[in-house]
Amino acid sequence: MTMDSHSVLVVTKDSKISAMIGAMLAAPLFETQLVSDFNEARRLASERVYNIILADYSEGEGADFARDISESLSTILLLTPQHLFEEVSYRVEGYGIITVSTPFDQFYFYSSIKTAIAVQYKVQILSSQTTKLKVKMEEIRLVNRAKMLLMQNLKMTEQEAHRYIEKEAMDRGMKKIAVSEEIIKTYG
């Protein structure tokens, strides 16, 4: 996927909805994959992260599918019959699923897709920040473990152990985490 193309998985048994969405979400702006089987869609969603997943309610099967894949990084839109909209929305909102009332006009639908794209960008930013924080927390954990081992085995103070790790990293042109891992291997 490039910044100009959005991957979309559409899951519906309704050929009319499938044709309309396929025509609206056309290349090159969208890379759209149409599927009519929810089990096939589960398999596809487990193999790849789509920017947007559109699921037709399909007598509840679509809502179950949407909940099943709700932990993915995809933005999920559930196409819901108008008479069930409030009830279904209430049940799926806690999973981060956006409901779209059907039938819909093209402007309303395209507006929902643009909202989903904006949400997807935000999810990508937050996911990247979360990954960076996890890496930083792991580094802090390893450095603290290495300092503890230096304090126990070489009778250093915490400040001396901290300075030792920093100095070793600078002198040897290594990152503190690499020096800490060596200390843990030696004394752990």
Side-chain angles (χ1 to χ4, degrees):
M1 178 198 97
T2 65
M3 292 302 278
D4 298 326
S5 177
H6 307 284
S7 59
V8 181
L9 176 62
V10 180
V11 190
T12 181
K13 295 177 182 184
D14 186 330
S15 58
K16 183 179 174 184
I17 290 175
S18 183
M20 185 169 61
I21 291 174
M24 290 177 65
L25 304 182
L29 187 56
F30 297 97
E31 174 198 326
T32 306
Q33 188 167 2
L34 301 167
V35 180
S36 61
D37 180 74
F38 286 98
N39 289 325
E40 173 70 4
R42 279 181 182 83
R43 185 186 65 75
L44 291 170
S46 71
E47 293 174 355
R48 173 183 179 189
V49 175
Y50 291 88
N51 296 116
I52 300 169
I53 297 178
L54 285 161
D56 191 9
Y57 181 74
S58 237
E59 297 177 8
E61 194 174 3
D64 293 340
F65 164 74
R67 280 192 301 269
D68 290 348
I69 62 161
S70 65
E71 291 188 17
S72 74
L73 293 177
S74 302
T75 300
I76 303 168
L77 281 82
L78 181 60
L79 306 176
T80 307
Q82 197 168 26
H83 68 281
L84 296 173
F85 182 80
E86 286 299 323
E87 175 191 340
V88 172
S89 290
Y90 179 77
R91 287 195 340 240
V92 301
E93 284 173 350
Y95 294 92
I97 298 166
I98 300 168
T99 50
V100 178
S101 178
T102 58
F104 48 80
D105 63 38
Q106 290 185 349
F107 177 78
Y108 173 70
F109 177 74
Y110 198 72
S111 177
S112 297
I113 293 296
K114 295 304 264 180
T115 301
I117 290 169
V119 167
Q120 184 60 36
Y121 282 130
K122 190 57 98 175
V123 166
Q124 289 172 351
I125 290 168
L126 292 173
S127 177
S128 173
Q129 290 173 342
T130 300
T131 301
K132 287 177 188 175
L133 284 172
K134 285 180 180 178
V135 168
K136 188 67 177 168
M137 285 173 50
E138 179 64 11
E139 179 181 324
I140 290 168
R141 189 185 69 75
L142 286 173
V143 169
N144 283 340
R145 174 139 168 74
K147 286 193 301 188
M148 183 193 71
L149 289 169
L150 289 172
M151 291 164 55
Q152 288 174 345
N153 293 291
L154 301 180
K155 307 299 183 218
M156 291 183 179
T157 65
E158 184 182 2
Q159 285 179 320
E160 290 170 335
H162 184 79
R163 176 143 169 70
Y164 175 84
I165 293 170
E166 283 186 335
K167 186 167 179 354
E168 282 292 307
M170 281 192 294
D171 290 350
R172 296 170 57 193
M174 297 171 66
K175 293 187 178 228
K176 289 191 296 185
I177 194 166
V179 171
S180 297
E181 287 171 341
E182 286 182 359
I183 292 167
I184 291 168
K185 283 180 187 172
T186 303
Y187 296 108

